[in-house]
Amino acid sequence: MSVTSTPHGESLDGDSFHDLVRDALGKISLSPDELDAFIASLSSRHRNVVRLRREVAPKSLPFPTTPVPWYALGYRSESTESRPSKELAYAAGDYYVQDAGSLLALAALQADHADALRNQTVCDLCAAPGGKATAILESLESSGFLLANEPIRSRVPALLHNLSRTGSNRFAISQLDPEDLAKQLTGCFDIVVVDAPCSGQALLSRKRQSISALSGHQIEHSASRQQRILSAATRLLCPGGKLVYSTCTFAAAENEAQIDGLLGSHDFTAESIPSLQQYASPITPGCYRLWPHQHDCAGSFAASLIQGDASWSTKTFRNNKPFKTTVELDQWFTDSGQVHRYFGSDSSLYAIPKDAPEWVERVAKLGPEISHRTGKVWKPAHAAALQRGTSLRPRQTMDVDHETAAQYLSGSPIPCRSRGWTVVQYHGRPLGWVKGDRGLGKNHLPTASRFTQMSPPR
């Protein structure tokens, strides 16, 4: 009798492991050879890819690339020497690093198409750590708004950090259970994205999940939770809105079965995405799959549905009572008070555009931070330094070369001719604040944003 070592190191009879995987897939049937290839791939780690900002040309990257077929802004590094996460271009926000499979949901959303999300109000219902939320935010550009909801508080700091790195101010973060959010914001969103909590079978190859992800109990538990989240998601949508659902698992019960349930019980139609037809599910229209043994990624599932005329009415809200701030923002920024709405606490101040939805302050806990308090002293926030293309403009900036930028990103002081708070830039892209005095800039880069090792210029 053969013994198989599972992706997480457990030992299991080979036939038993095949049966376990086959049962986990459910209605998805693979031939014996393909099943063998799929199981073997669960022990292989796949390299991450980069997702570019729309304005960044692939040729400008410090490493050679090949495109990801299913997402126009996704590229694989072809260099065996370069690590994309150690490049200055990454620190400057030119791209985001993630698994290629996670781009499938963005492809279903068509976030790589110019103007696809223009003027849209979007809710990312399970947003942390922000791989999809940041792409949505970048696609909104100068219109629309994103509410990034994350009920698990421990995951919120990473989400805020990643959203701030986009340089956009068109977002807020809520921390509500999906049911509670749906009660407050019924019918308020053009698009709802649900990257659902799941059994995480695609994480086996990254050693971030155990063989229990394949168990019937875990799949059933995840499917039940997904149904509850999707029920809330449908109520958040306005009539004619779009629901994009995704997971990082392979079980049909957590994927196609969830979509079948929505199609059978709600006024939804499956949206066919022409560019994704080669990845179409064999059992449910409008659903798409990536497999680790076929597509050089961890694997993923995504579907896009369009809602008909919903039976509930979109909520209306009274105008917000203006939030009064005593922070003297003009010492750091120009025209800071003209086109923003503010909210916050006694230690943090957030600024969103005046044209943001009226309900934002009712549910938002965090947003684009403009200032924070240390002791009794208010200081400009790191997120405010990173804003691009918004009306928030620092009074002082300084452009630095690669060596000085790397020195700054390590957390060290750098030469600075300006006196006072100054935003450090590399080729016009903001990196963060220094406070200049006597020719030296004191480094105010947060620890989470520092890079101890940067690749040399090429």
Side-chain angles (χ1 to χ4, degrees):
M1 177 174 58
S2 64
V3 176
T4 296
S5 179
T6 68
H8 209 67
E10 304 96 332
S11 293
L12 193 69
D13 170 73
D15 291 339
S16 298
F17 189 54
H18 275 64
D19 291 342
L20 182 63
V21 173
R22 190 181 295 109
D23 291 343
L25 291 176
K27 290 184 178 181
I28 294 291
S29 179
L30 301 179
S31 68
D33 287 345
E34 189 169 13
L35 182 62
D36 287 342
F38 170 58
I39 290 175
S41 72
L42 295 177
S43 299
S44 301
R45 186 179 180 116
H46 303 271
R47 295 183 66 194
N48 282 331
V49 300
V50 301
R51 190 197 73 233
L52 297 187
R53 297 180 73 101
R54 196 178 305 279
E55 67 272 19
V56 176
K59 292 182 179 179
S60 70
L61 295 177
F63 44 81
T65 62
T66 56
V68 173
W70 51 89
Y71 195 69
L73 298 177
Y75 291 85
R76 299 182 188 276
S77 170
E78 292 300 301
S79 172
T80 58
E81 299 177 357
S82 172
R83 291 185 61 187
S85 62
K86 298 297 183 182
E87 297 288 347
L88 190 49
Y90 172 69
D94 285 356
Y95 54 81
Y96 188 93
V97 178
Q98 60 195 122
D99 180 73
S102 65
L103 299 177
L104 184 65
L106 297 175
L109 185 58
Q110 301 181 70
D112 53 343
H113 294 197
D115 300 331
L117 301 184
R118 184 174 294 278
N119 298 322
Q120 301 293 288
T121 304
V122 184
C123 175
D124 188 344
L125 196 51
C126 312
K132 297 171 182 64
T134 52
I136 293 168
L137 193 53
E138 290 171 2
S139 296
L140 294 178
E141 295 183 343
S142 60
S143 65
F145 197 83
L146 169 69
L147 180 68
N149 184 68
E150 180 48 60
I152 303 175
R153 292 189 177 184
S154 62
R155 305 186 73 193
V156 170
L159 175 62
L160 178 60
H161 173 78
N162 286 324
L163 290 173
S164 298
R165 288 188 75 234
T166 68
S168 174
N169 64 351
R170 307 196 72 83
F171 75 92
I173 295 176
S174 56
Q175 300 176 8
L176 293 171
D177 180 89
E179 288 281 350
D180 295 331
L181 188 65
K183 290 176 183 177
Q184 295 196 46
L185 300 181
T186 303
C188 286
F189 294 94
D190 302 302
I191 299 171
V192 176
V193 176
V194 179
D195 185 30
C198 64
S199 57
Q201 294 158 6
L203 303 179
L204 284 166
S205 63
R206 292 178 175 262
K207 311 300 183 191
R208 290 169 52 193
Q209 187 55 281
S210 70
I211 195 174
S212 63
L214 299 168
S215 71
H217 172 75
Q218 182 61 55
I219 293 170
E220 182 180 352
H221 172 76
S222 296
S224 178
R225 179 167 54 174
Q226 290 153 4
Q227 289 171 4
R228 187 178 73 86
I229 294 172
L230 284 171
S231 176
T234 62
R235 300 199 300 277
L236 288 165
L237 277 175
C238 66
K242 177 184 292 190
L243 172 64
V244 172
Y245 175 75
S246 66
T247 71
C248 59
T249 202
F250 305 107
E254 298 181 62
N255 294 326
E256 287 89 350
Q258 300 295 333
I259 301 305
D260 289 338
L262 288 175
L263 292 173
S265 60
H266 292 74
D267 185 15
F268 276 109
T269 56
E271 183 182 25
S272 178
I273 312 295
S275 62
L276 296 181
Q277 289 313 301
Q278 62 180 307
Y279 313 107
S281 165
I283 61 175
T284 299
C287 297
Y288 306 95
R289 282 176 171 266
L290 295 174
W291 296 91
H293 63 294
Q294 293 180 6
H295 303 118
D296 192 18
C297 66
S300 63
F301 172 89
S304 178
L305 303 177
I306 304 298
Q307 181 166 257
D309 295 330
S311 59
W312 47 81
S313 300
T314 299
K315 284 194 174 184
T316 56
F317 302 89
R318 295 179 181 178
N319 290 333
N320 296 298
K321 183 178 181 180
F323 180 91
K324 294 182 179 179
T325 176
T326 59
V327 183
E328 296 180 2
L329 300 172
D330 289 345
Q331 61 183 308
W332 310 309
F333 310 105
T334 61
D335 301 324
S336 58
Q338 302 304 312
V339 290
H340 295 105
R341 294 194 337 238
Y342 300 99
F343 68 95
S345 63
D346 61 354
S347 60
S348 292
L349 181 66
Y350 307 102
I352 56 176
K354 277 193 174 179
D355 65 355
E358 295 178 348
W359 45 257
V360 171
E361 292 90 334
R362 289 171 169 81
V363 298
K365 290 294 184 182
L366 304 166
E369 191 177 37
I370 190 173
S371 181
H372 63 89
R373 188 162 65 93
T374 303
K376 296 182 179 181
V377 179
W378 285 90
K379 300 176 181 179
H382 175 63
L386 301 183
Q387 288 195 19
R388 312 184 188 188
T390 73
S391 59
L392 190 68
R393 303 183 187 282
R395 287 196 173 276
Q396 296 186 146
T397 63
M398 57 178 287
D399 214 75
V400 298
D401 59 20
H402 188 285
E403 182 180 356
T404 305
Q407 180 181 347
Y408 172 75
L409 290 167
S410 72
S412 300
I414 61 172
C416 178
R417 295 181 180 180
S418 302
R419 186 177 179 85
W421 291 94
T422 302
V423 170
V424 180
Q425 298 181 340
Y426 175 69
H427 291 180
R429 287 112 79 197
L431 302 178
W433 295 100
V434 293
K435 190 173 184 182
D437 185 30
R438 300 178 183 178
L440 190 67
K442 182 181 178 181
N443 198 313
H444 283 264
L445 191 67
T447 302
S449 299
R450 294 179 182 179
F451 294 79
T452 56
Q453 294 180 342
M454 302 295 301
S455 297
R458 285 187 292 277

